[in-house]
Amino acid sequence: MYVVRPVEAGDIAALEALAAVTMPGVHTLPKTRDKIEQAVERSIASFAAQVDIPSEESYLFVLEALAERKIVGTAAIFASAGSNGTYFSFRNDVIQQVSRDLNICHNVHALTLCSELTAYSQLSSFYVDEALQERPEAALLSRSRLLFAVQQPQRFGDRFFVPLAGVTDEKGGSPFWDALGRKFFKMDFLDAERVIGGARNRTLIVELMPHYPVYVPLLPGDAQAAMGQIHPSGELAFNLLTAEGFEADEYIDIFDGGPILQAHKHALRTFTSSQTLRVRTGDGQVPEGPLVNYAIANNAGPAFRAVTIACPELEGCEAVALSPELQDILRVAEGDSVTCVRV
Amino acid sequence: MYVVRPVEAGDIAALEALAAVTMPGVHTLPKTRDKIEQAVERSIASFAAQVDIPSEESYLFVLEALAERKIVGTAAIFASAGSNGTYFSFRNDVIQQVSRDLNICHNVHALTLCSELTAYSQLSSFYVDEALQERPEAALLSRSRLLFAVQQPQRFGDRFFVPLAGVTDEKGGSPFWDALGRKFFKMDFLDAERVIGGARNRTLIVELMPHYPVYVPLLPGDAQAAMGQIHPSGELAFNLLTAEGFEADEYIDIFDGGPILQAHKHALRTFTSSQTLRVRTGDGQVPEGPLVNYAIANNAGPAFRAVTIACPELEGCEAVALSPELQDILRVAEGDSVTCVRV
Amino acid sequence: MLVVRAINENDLDALYSMATQVGTGMTTLKPDMKMLGDRLATACASFAETIPPEQRDYMFVMEDTSNGRIAGVCAIKGAVGLTEPFYNYRIGTLVHSSRELNVFTKMDTLYLSNDLTGSSELCSLFLHPDYRQGHNGKLLSKSRFLFIAQFPHLFTQKIIAEMRGYQADDGSSPFYEGLGRHFFKMDFHHVDDLTALGKKSFIAELMPRQPLYIDYLPKEAQEVVGQVHKSTAPARRLLEQEGLHYEGYVDIFDAGPVLQARVSELRAMRDSELATVAPDTDMAHACAPAHPEPTLVSNTVLKDFRMIVTQATPVNGEIDLSTQDLQLLRCHMGDTVRTLPLNVRKNNV
Amino acid sequence: MLVVRAINENDLDALYSMATQVGTGMTTLKPDMKMLGDRLATACASFAETIPPEQRDYMFVMEDTSNGRIAGVCAIKGAVGLTEPFYNYRIGTLVHSSRELNVFTKMDTLYLSNDLTGSSELCSLFLHPDYRQGHNGKLLSKSRFLFIAQFPHLFTQKIIAEMRGYQADDGSSPFYEGLGRHFFKMDFHHVDDLTALGKKSFIAELMPRQPLYIDYLPKEAQEVVGQVHKSTAPARRLLEQEGLHYEGYVDIFDAGPVLQARVSELRAMRDSELATVAPDTDMAHACAPAHPEPTLVSNTVLKDFRMIVTQATPVNGEIDLSTQDLQLLRCHMGDTVRTLPLNVRKNNV
């Protein structure tokens, strides 16, 4: 069995071990002991905080394999992106060009540096052990952040986004960066990401990045091809998020051109189709009929826990049957309410 | 009783009479006999057309008072705005300005000439007799266009918008125009609207309007105050549309600064909460319990007809009771399917 | 003998036959009887001062008086861009700097502009191949400066000349291939022809209007910004000697440079002098330079402006012109003429 | 007697006491011992050529040799904008025209630019009130042009001078009130002080970067674009006589004009001459003009550059200077000096 829960101080060593694994697509997961400690402390403080308006909170969830007591995945959500500045991205604008005299009509794409994603809630740091990538636990982990947001709307914005790492070559170079950022920063992609610490809210971005729209047709072919393309490591996250209702295409990352998925919460399946059901104790029998996978989260605020189960369609039901073991894992009892959504 | 139906050739005289009434907020309703004839012909051709991809179709609906056989309202929908060009509007951008050195953070609004609304479906020409403005027939008329779009999605885009007339002074001047358009067009607001025929897709807009963002703080106070404000004649339409799920604030009209409401169809109540029910013949008795107003439309394509009824909540029902008289008006029989939505 | 003179009504056929020699690349001088006739009428009205200064188009022809042939043509337009917008790219500088990262990046930037609207323009210079020798080219081109120096009040503050931009050996324009083609999606020569026909509204509709960093362009396009066509290099040098400079304006299609000057700073404005036609005296003879330099001399009559190049040199406000020179200029003893050394004096520094 | 000379290590105290007289409005000359000391060190290194040309800052002082007092100061910066971005608004033209409507609108437009990056700058001109008389102001200001004419290789192609912009009687700037205040949300003088302190990154962060039509600004702001402060008008005229022009660049806060010139087109480059110091001869005496004009004369030594104004006039490459003049210039008979008429010759047209 697996459970998703907020990170705890005891997880630091496990996270350090995880960070040692190469995860090229996950820039936002801290890599050093110090940074990991800070991230864990910040998450614990965030879960504990009384929040009226989303601000600098950052919530870090882990996926734990209960049998081995092992951390096999992470996923985070920031309450408000760029909360200590401005979150910069490129907006993918389309300029329609029509010439009546010449009977020409075509669209020109242009990238505009914009701050529209500032104050969105930002999903990040999604990582799941390779062995679990095909399993419903991957979806559970990704979606737990949104289940928490459904239960605690005051902690989050009305809109969410997720930047996914863009494509890089074998040497860690980015064709998109080479065509754009390098001209202004005068440094390699990895160096730039290092100095800026993966952030997108720094004054130096205003100082250095182009303020006028970048006409896409003027970019070299490989840079154009990289726009909105994900690094292979991000494919799982991409698939889970688009299934959730996130949309790509409108924004891309200013550094590597990777896609930024975004959505209003009304467009997200977790928000529109999750149900609040009562817990009843199951008889342990495998139910008859076709089974579907659900994510089930308790409703315990900072003591948030979520699991997946396979059960018959819950549509129209008022209660969900959970075995005593699952009730233990979720720390709920018969009659408690849980939030359920199909994964 | 009132019915909403497509305009017919026999309505031309009635429309001419209507046009004689001053309707300062409805620029898009044709005023001359010639133009009215063209609009009616175009609508008839549009309803009759086999459509795969929305293009230059324009559908004009009328609200008819059946007892007097009198036209008491109009409402139109264009399949694809700017279909023979580009639909121009101002996008209301927010530029976040943060200075770390000075510890300053503020937002600056800027208006950018954009073509993003091109190929949206456009609602327009909404007019309803003053006596009916408080009645459910006003909502029926406005919403009939969307009911038709629910039934015939291939005829429309996924997104819809509605420009509402902006504020003008007693002399027909527009403070927003005076601060912006006049500087480029060198003519009065009403003259400009006349030469451009209310259109927003003309080459001369590219030729004359400013291509760089207009910083709102640099506009005079009265022009800023007029941004996104509706002409009093548009209040009913505004209220009906925002109740429907349309959102203002993102776009304004390039001429008078009036609001342009827009929405993805998934955000519109007619799309998300309309039901398809079977017709059964009612017993003519007023049903018990609380009554709510519904718009009911037949599902007859070019022979579209819609009425309002007051009945008990239809949520969870499979059929709706209609009196024989209503079945006549809608031209449906028991067992036919109709599209219903609360108004 | 060659004289450059104001064009007149009788020159239309000669002008047409000249235009047939011009070939592509000069859009203002095409062998089209209607176009040339209109232009000639404007030119005559200009010298007669019957149209306002900004609509004028002063055309000059070089005539071989030995056979009556027209050997060349050149013109000055009173003002550009007042009926159709006149577009250029202006090259500016933007600096992106971050003290935190110790990065300081200076970038050249293209701005679509109409800045040169209202300037007077030197244009339509063509010398028949049979006459490409000696001082003829200089006389033809520089005659316009003498005209400006004589009638500066007819011109705006700024004078410009558009130079044909760099082309590769195959006739393609690397700048157009790197920029314009992405937006026009048609051939360079096709666009050029459309421009010549006055179909210019498409520029406003199709060109990218936002400032562009030159660094976004392919290297080959970057390299030719402000570079002239091989065959235009001598003409550029000649104009630069007269005080025009490349100040960062280029053609939007081929990035050929626009040379420009304040009228008041033209060499001709500073160095040309009025002189009275007078017979040589011993005194003047004694004071004359040992090695006389060729001198441009013009009469001072707008309607029948005429210029020659001669070996006579003005001394103390007088100049001794031969009978032949006087005939060419239609001047007499005692008349006032304007003179300018044909070649630029070397700086004394 | 007054001499303008390269500043040296011993001038710091005098410079400081001069700076206390300056008052607000000149941000480069504040009574701050540390700032002035640093600047003096740069100036000495500049004349000694121990730092690269673009880092140099040539400061000159006007010394009253009768009492050793420093009467004035002025400077030329080798290049601006190479460590901190140098911002201006450039005024361009955009034309909006529709043949269909027969509308043709020509609009002035402000572009935020760093175009003048790398230009040399005339700056820090201050003459002590006690010495504001006679030719003193001209000598002080124009001495810089003689220096440039003597050492043109030390300067970039372009030379600029920023002029203080128009202020209303109450000291407010109508341009700032109409534009900058909306974005900075602070007082004009506060912003000015911050700029002087080098806190400039806020410009990139807070200023509107998109091109702005001047027509968007209130009328009072439009009217003062390119207008100088009342007290700066004479300085502007003086620089214009030397060949600098307003070419459409203005200060981003008060819209004061930037005057600029190509170094090669300065009057001093054209009209200054070298001359050998030689005693007066009968021949030279006979050829000298009847009414001699005051002449600027300098030595030709970079490290100890010295300039005076004198009534002596160069004749045929020789000039007869008095013993006193020679002492001021630290020159001797037979030395070469550079001369330039103090006043501009009237055009002969």
Side-chain angles (χ1 to χ4, degrees):
Chain A
M1 287 300 296
Y2 297 87
V3 68
V4 173
R5 58 164 175 80
V7 76
E8 294 164 6
D11 298 326
I12 289 172
L15 289 175
E16 212 182 344
L18 263 193
V21 183
T22 312
M23 290 177 290
V26 192
H27 296 301
T28 43
L29 199 63
K31 298 257 191 289
T32 62
R33 175 88 188 188
D34 271 11
K35 294 256 169 77
I36 290 170
E37 279 176 4
Q38 280 169 30
V40 170
E41 278 164 24
R42 189 167 158 204
S43 175
I44 291 169
S46 298
F47 275 104
Q50 282 288 346
V51 175
D52 297 321
I53 293 168
S55 173
E56 304 202 17
E57 299 81 40
S58 171
Y59 306 88
L60 180 56
F61 296 86
V62 294
L63 176 64
E64 180 182 349
L66 290 166
E68 306 116 295
R69 294 181 152 269
K70 192 182 158 196
I71 304 296
V72 291
T74 63
I77 180 167
F78 299 138
S80 181
S83 60
N84 52 348
T86 295
Y87 190 95
F88 290 104
S89 59
F90 276 135
R91 190 180 58 225
N92 205 344
D93 284 333
V94 176
I95 300 168
Q96 295 208 331
Q97 296 198 298
V98 180
S99 169
R100 201 173 29 175
D101 282 9
L102 302 184
N103 201 17
I104 285 178
C105 172
H106 51 244
N107 290 337
V108 174
H109 287 259
L111 304 176
T112 308
L113 188 68
C114 80
S115 54
E116 288 167 13
L117 299 180
T118 306
Y120 279 43
S121 293
Q122 177 186 0
L123 305 181
S124 74
S125 310
F126 180 72
Y127 165 76
V128 67
D129 191 283
E130 216 164 299
L132 294 171
Q133 302 217 340
E134 299 295 316
R135 299 192 28 139
E137 281 76 10
L140 168 70
L141 176 60
S142 177
R143 190 161 281 186
S144 289
R145 299 172 287 190
L146 297 172
L147 279 168
F148 183 67
V150 166
Q151 296 172 348
Q152 307 262 322
Q154 78 285 0
R155 291 179 182 268
F156 300 96
D158 285 340
R159 292 175 179 271
F160 294 78
F161 76 89
V162 204
L164 294 177
V167 288
T168 45
D169 59 27
E170 324 77 60
K171 292 175 188 152
S174 152
F176 186 80
W177 173 262
D178 287 345
L180 256 182
R182 173 191 290 283
K183 295 185 192 298
F184 299 91
F185 277 71
K186 302 254 181 91
M187 57 179 79
D188 286 346
F189 173 61
L190 291 177
D191 292 336
E193 280 289 24
R194 198 171 306 122
V195 298
I196 207 170
R200 294 293 181 267
N201 66 342
R202 301 278 296 279
T203 299
L204 61 87
I205 293 173
V206 194
E207 288 169 346
L208 294 182
M209 285 302 257
H211 298 115
Y212 300 110
V214 180
Y215 291 94
V216 173
L218 298 182
L219 295 176
D222 58 349
Q224 289 190 40
M227 282 172 49
Q229 295 304 304
I230 43 170
H231 192 277
S233 68
E235 242 172 81
L236 173 65
F238 182 84
N239 295 338
L240 292 171
L241 292 164
T242 49
E244 173 72 43
F246 279 96
E247 289 189 3
D249 297 340
E250 196 165 349
Y251 301 96
I252 65 174
D253 185 64
I254 54 174
F255 275 34
D256 65 12
I260 299 179
L261 309 185
Q262 56 84 35
H264 192 281
K265 65 183 184 185
H266 295 333
L268 294 177
R269 283 189 45 223
T270 302
F271 280 87
T272 55
S273 63
S274 64
Q275 305 166 261
T276 302
L277 302 179
R278 299 268 143 210
V279 173
R280 67 177 171 80
T281 303
D283 53 10
Q285 299 287 326
V286 177
E288 280 174 36
L291 300 185
V292 290
N293 287 312
Y294 273 86
I296 312 281
N298 70 5
N299 205 338
F304 177 90
R305 294 174 83 86
V307 297
T308 56
I309 61 168
C311 65
E313 175 74 66
L314 292 173
E315 183 80 41
C317 300
E318 300 204 329
V320 57
L322 297 176
S323 66
E325 188 201 352
L326 276 174
Q327 292 181 34
D328 270 4
I329 293 172
L330 288 175
R331 300 190 183 150
V332 293
E334 186 145 329
D336 284 354
S337 74
V338 290
T339 309
C340 313
V341 67
R342 248 179 101 157
V343 294
Chain B
M1 287 302 295
Y2 297 87
V3 67
V4 173
R5 57 164 175 80
V7 77
E8 294 164 5
D11 298 327
I12 290 173
L15 289 175
E16 211 182 344
L18 264 192
V21 183
T22 313
M23 290 177 292
V26 192
H27 295 301
T28 44
L29 198 65
K31 298 257 192 288
T32 64
R33 174 89 187 187
D34 271 11
K35 293 258 170 75
I36 290 170
E37 279 176 5
Q38 281 170 28
V40 170
E41 278 164 25
R42 189 169 157 202
S43 176
I44 291 169
S46 299
F47 276 104
Q50 282 288 346
V51 175
D52 296 321
I53 292 168
S55 172
E56 303 202 18
E57 299 81 40
S58 171
Y59 306 89
L60 179 56
F61 296 85
V62 294
L63 177 64
E64 181 182 348
L66 290 166
E68 305 117 293
R69 293 182 153 268
K70 192 182 157 196
I71 304 295
V72 291
T74 62
I77 180 167
F78 299 138
S80 181
S83 59
N84 52 347
T86 296
Y87 190 95
F88 291 104
S89 59
F90 276 136
R91 190 179 58 225
N92 205 344
D93 284 334
V94 175
I95 301 168
Q96 294 208 332
Q97 297 197 297
V98 181
S99 169
R100 201 174 28 176
D101 282 9
L102 302 184
N103 202 18
I104 285 178
C105 172
H106 51 245
N107 290 336
V108 174
H109 288 260
L111 303 175
T112 308
L113 188 69
C114 80
S115 54
E116 288 167 13
L117 299 180
T118 305
Y120 279 43
S121 292
Q122 177 186 0
L123 305 181
S124 74
S125 311
F126 181 72
Y127 165 76
V128 67
D129 190 284
E130 215 164 299
L132 294 170
Q133 302 218 339
E134 298 295 317
R135 298 189 31 134
E137 281 77 10
L140 168 70
L141 176 59
S142 176
R143 190 162 282 187
S144 288
R145 300 172 286 190
L146 297 172
L147 278 168
F148 183 67
V150 166
Q151 296 171 351
Q152 307 263 321
Q154 79 286 0
R155 291 179 182 268
F156 299 96
D158 286 339
R159 292 175 180 271
F160 293 78
F161 76 89
V162 203
L164 294 178
V167 288
T168 45
D169 59 28
E170 323 77 59
K171 293 175 189 153
S174 152
F176 186 79
W177 173 262
D178 288 344
L180 257 182
R182 173 191 290 283
K183 295 186 193 298
F184 300 91
F185 277 71
K186 302 253 181 91
M187 55 179 81
D188 285 347
F189 174 61
L190 290 177
D191 292 335
E193 281 288 25
R194 197 172 308 124
V195 298
I196 207 169
R200 295 293 182 266
N201 66 341
R202 301 277 296 281
T203 299
L204 61 88
I205 294 173
V206 195
E207 288 170 345
L208 294 181
M209 284 301 258
H211 298 113
Y212 301 109
V214 180
Y215 291 94
V216 174
L218 298 182
L219 295 176
D222 58 349
Q224 291 189 39
M227 282 173 50
Q229 294 304 304
I230 43 170
H231 192 278
S233 68
E235 241 172 80
L236 172 65
F238 181 85
N239 294 337
L240 291 170
L241 293 164
T242 48
E244 174 73 43
F246 279 96
E247 288 190 4
D249 296 340
E250 196 165 349
Y251 301 96
I252 65 173
D253 185 64
I254 54 174
F255 274 34
D256 65 13
I260 299 178
L261 309 184
Q262 55 84 34
H264 193 282
K265 65 182 183 186
H266 294 334
L268 293 177
R269 282 189 45 222
T270 301
F271 280 87
T272 54
S273 63
S274 65
Q275 305 166 264
T276 301
L277 301 178
R278 299 268 145 211
V279 172
R280 66 178 171 80
T281 303
D283 53 11
Q285 299 287 324
V286 176
E288 281 174 36
L291 300 185
V292 289
N293 288 311
Y294 273 86
I296 312 283
N298 69 5
N299 205 337
F304 178 90
R305 295 174 83 86
V307 297
T308 55
I309 61 168
C311 64
E313 175 75 65
L314 292 173
E315 183 81 40
C317 299
E318 300 204 331
V320 57
L322 298 175
S323 67
E325 187 201 354
L326 275 175
Q327 291 181 33
D328 270 5
I329 294 172
L330 288 176
R331 299 189 183 151
V332 293
E334 187 147 328
D336 284 353
S337 73
V338 290
T339 309
C340 312
V341 67
R342 247 180 102 157
V343 294
Chain C
M1 295 302 297
L2 295 175
V3 63
V4 175
R5 58 164 175 81
I7 205 167
N8 66 48
E9 290 79 359
N10 304 319
D11 291 321
L12 182 57
D13 290 340
L15 189 63
Y16 181 84
S17 110
M18 172 84 45
T20 60
Q21 298 278 329
V22 169
T24 61
M26 190 183 295
T27 52
T28 54
L29 211 62
K30 301 227 162 188
D32 173 325
M33 210 49 154
K34 169 81 178 69
M35 259 171 80
L36 290 174
D38 288 352
R39 189 153 183 215
L40 182 60
T42 303
C44 293
S46 301
F47 287 111
E49 301 199 87
T50 57
I51 52 176
E54 68 273 14
Q55 292 175 19
R56 293 188 194 165
D57 185 1
Y58 305 95
M59 282 188 95
F60 304 92
V61 291
M62 178 184 265
E63 179 183 340
D64 183 343
T65 55
S66 66
N67 54 16
R69 253 180 94 183
I70 297 299
V73 60
C74 64
I76 316 172
K77 275 204 183 125
V80 296
L82 297 185
T83 51
E84 281 283 353
F86 187 80
Y87 285 97
N88 291 103
Y89 272 122
R90 192 187 69 81
I91 294 151
T93 301
L94 286 175
V95 170
H96 290 241
S97 123
S98 169
R99 208 182 300 183
E100 186 181 344
L101 292 192
N102 196 24
V103 172
F104 189 95
T105 311
K106 186 166 165 275
M107 312 270 278
D108 281 341
T109 311
L110 295 173
Y111 295 87
L112 191 65
S113 98
N114 308 109
D115 290 358
L116 301 179
T117 302
S119 303
S120 299
E121 186 191 16
L122 304 173
C123 61
S124 306
L125 180 77
F126 181 73
L127 180 61
H128 193 287
D130 293 353
Y131 289 86
R132 292 187 188 162
Q133 62 197 31
H135 297 313
N136 297 351
K138 280 190 189 174
L139 167 62
L140 183 58
S141 176
K142 296 194 176 187
S143 63
R144 296 176 290 188
F145 294 104
L146 207 56
F147 182 78
I148 293 169
Q150 180 59 33
F151 306 109
H153 57 283
L154 298 179
F155 297 93
T156 54
Q157 210 178 34
K158 204 178 271 174
I159 184 111
I160 62 165
E162 292 190 291
M163 302 274 102
R164 203 168 161 196
Y166 178 89
Q167 291 182 5
D169 290 338
D170 62 358
S172 68
S173 158
F175 185 77
Y176 181 79
E177 296 306 316
L179 178 54
R181 178 178 285 284
H182 296 296
F183 298 90
F184 287 98
K185 305 200 174 160
M186 56 176 79
D187 228 47
F188 174 59
H189 295 289
H190 188 192
V191 168
D192 223 33
D193 288 349
L194 289 169
T195 328
L197 293 173
K199 294 225 168 206
K200 288 195 173 169
S201 77
F202 67 86
I203 296 175
E205 293 157 11
L206 297 182
M207 278 303 268
R209 244 173 301 250
Q210 289 282 342
L212 289 177
Y213 294 100
I214 289 183
D215 252 23
Y216 291 160
L217 302 180
K219 208 153 177 310
E220 312 84 67
Q222 293 184 33
E223 279 165 358
V224 303
V225 171
Q227 299 300 314
V228 290
H229 193 276
K230 249 181 296 184
S231 67
T232 310
R236 176 178 186 165
R237 269 196 304 280
L238 193 150
L239 294 176
E240 285 175 342
Q241 285 167 358
E242 292 300 318
L244 279 83
H245 295 285
Y246 169 53
E247 301 281 10
Y249 288 88
V250 300
D251 183 72
I252 58 170
F253 294 120
D254 67 13
V258 177
L259 303 187
Q260 60 185 87
R262 291 182 165 257
V263 168
S264 61
E265 301 210 332
L266 291 172
R267 180 182 75 105
M269 290 291 287
R270 286 203 308 267
D271 292 353
S272 76
E273 298 176 77
L274 291 176
T276 307
V277 180
D280 197 9
T281 63
D282 283 353
M283 170 89 95
H285 203 80
C287 293
H291 303 286
E293 288 281 310
T295 303
L296 280 170
V297 181
S298 76
N299 68 16
T300 56
V301 183
L302 177 61
K303 263 193 102 154
D304 187 26
F305 200 72
R306 304 175 76 90
M307 285 151 283
I308 57 168
V309 59
T310 172
Q311 291 296 323
T313 308
V315 177
N316 295 332
E318 300 195 337
I319 188 166
D320 178 27
L321 293 172
S322 69
T323 313
Q324 195 181 39
D325 284 348
L326 288 173
Q327 280 172 350
L328 291 173
L329 292 173
R330 297 193 179 158
C331 282
H332 304 93
M333 282 291 161
D335 283 356
T336 300
V337 295
R338 182 168 289 275
T339 70
L340 175 70
L342 181 66
N343 296 312
V344 179
R345 282 177 198 142
K346 294 285 166 271
N347 196 316
N348 67 347
V349 180
Chain D
M1 295 303 296
L2 294 175
V3 62
V4 175
R5 58 164 174 81
I7 205 167
N8 67 47
E9 291 79 359
N10 304 321
D11 291 322
L12 182 57
D13 290 340
L15 189 63
Y16 180 85
S17 109
M18 173 84 45
T20 60
Q21 299 277 328
V22 170
T24 60
M26 189 184 295
T27 52
T28 54
L29 212 63
K30 300 228 162 187
D32 173 324
M33 211 51 155
K34 169 81 177 70
M35 259 170 78
L36 291 174
D38 288 352
R39 191 154 180 213
L40 182 60
T42 304
C44 293
S46 302
F47 288 111
E49 301 199 87
T50 55
I51 52 177
E54 69 273 15
Q55 292 176 18
R56 293 186 195 167
D57 185 1
Y58 305 95
M59 283 188 97
F60 303 91
V61 290
M62 178 185 265
E63 180 182 339
D64 183 343
T65 55
S66 67
N67 54 18
R69 252 180 94 182
I70 296 300
V73 60
C74 65
I76 315 172
K77 275 203 182 125
V80 296
L82 297 184
T83 50
E84 281 283 350
F86 186 79
Y87 285 97
N88 290 103
Y89 272 121
R90 191 186 70 80
I91 294 152
T93 301
L94 286 175
V95 171
H96 291 240
S97 123
S98 168
R99 209 182 300 182
E100 186 181 344
L101 292 192
N102 197 23
V103 172
F104 188 95
T105 311
K106 187 166 164 273
M107 312 270 279
D108 281 341
T109 312
L110 296 173
Y111 295 87
L112 192 65
S113 98
N114 307 110
D115 291 358
L116 301 179
T117 302
S119 303
S120 299
E121 187 192 17
L122 304 173
C123 62
S124 306
L125 179 76
F126 182 73
L127 180 60
H128 194 285
D130 293 353
Y131 288 86
R132 292 186 189 163
Q133 62 197 31
H135 297 313
N136 297 351
K138 281 190 187 172
L139 166 62
L140 182 59
S141 176
K142 296 194 175 186
S143 62
R144 295 176 291 187
F145 294 104
L146 207 57
F147 182 77
I148 293 169
Q150 181 59 33
F151 306 109
H153 59 282
L154 298 180
F155 297 94
T156 54
Q157 210 178 34
K158 204 177 272 175
I159 184 111
I160 62 166
E162 291 190 291
M163 302 273 103
R164 204 167 161 196
Y166 178 89
Q167 291 183 3
D169 291 338
D170 64 357
S172 67
S173 158
F175 186 77
Y176 181 80
E177 296 305 317
L179 178 54
R181 178 179 284 284
H182 295 296
F183 298 91
F184 288 98
K185 304 198 174 162
M186 56 176 79
D187 228 48
F188 175 59
H189 296 289
H190 188 192
V191 168
D192 223 34
D193 288 349
L194 288 168
T195 329
L197 293 172
K199 294 227 167 204
K200 288 195 175 171
S201 77
F202 67 87
I203 296 176
E205 293 157 10
L206 297 182
M207 278 303 268
R209 243 174 302 249
Q210 289 282 343
L212 288 177
Y213 294 99
I214 289 184
D215 252 22
Y216 291 159
L217 302 181
K219 210 153 177 308
E220 313 83 68
Q222 294 183 32
E223 280 166 356
V224 303
V225 171
Q227 300 299 315
V228 290
H229 193 275
K230 250 181 296 183
S231 66
T232 311
R236 176 178 185 165
R237 269 196 304 280
L238 193 150
L239 294 176
E240 286 175 341
Q241 286 167 358
E242 292 301 318
L244 280 82
H245 295 286
Y246 168 53
E247 301 280 11
Y249 289 89
V250 300
D251 183 72
I252 57 170
F253 294 119
D254 66 13
V258 177
L259 302 186
Q260 59 184 86
R262 291 183 165 257
V263 168
S264 61
E265 301 210 332
L266 291 171
R267 180 182 75 105
M269 291 290 287
R270 286 203 309 266
D271 293 354
S272 76
E273 299 177 76
L274 291 177
T276 307
V277 181
D280 197 9
T281 64
D282 285 351
M283 170 89 94
H285 203 80
C287 294
H291 303 287
E293 288 280 310
T295 304
L296 281 170
V297 181
S298 77
N299 68 15
T300 57
V301 183
L302 177 60
K303 264 194 103 155
D304 188 25
F305 200 72
R306 305 175 77 88
M307 282 152 285
I308 57 168
V309 60
T310 170
Q311 291 297 323
T313 309
V315 176
N316 294 332
E318 300 195 336
I319 188 167
D320 179 25
L321 294 173
S322 69
T323 312
Q324 195 181 36
D325 284 348
L326 288 174
Q327 281 172 349
L328 289 172
L329 292 174
R330 296 193 179 158
C331 282
H332 303 93
M333 283 291 162
D335 283 355
T336 300
V337 293
R338 181 167 289 274
T339 70
L340 175 71
L342 181 66
N343 296 312
V344 178
R345 281 176 197 142
K346 293 285 166 270
N347 196 316
N348 66 346
V349 180

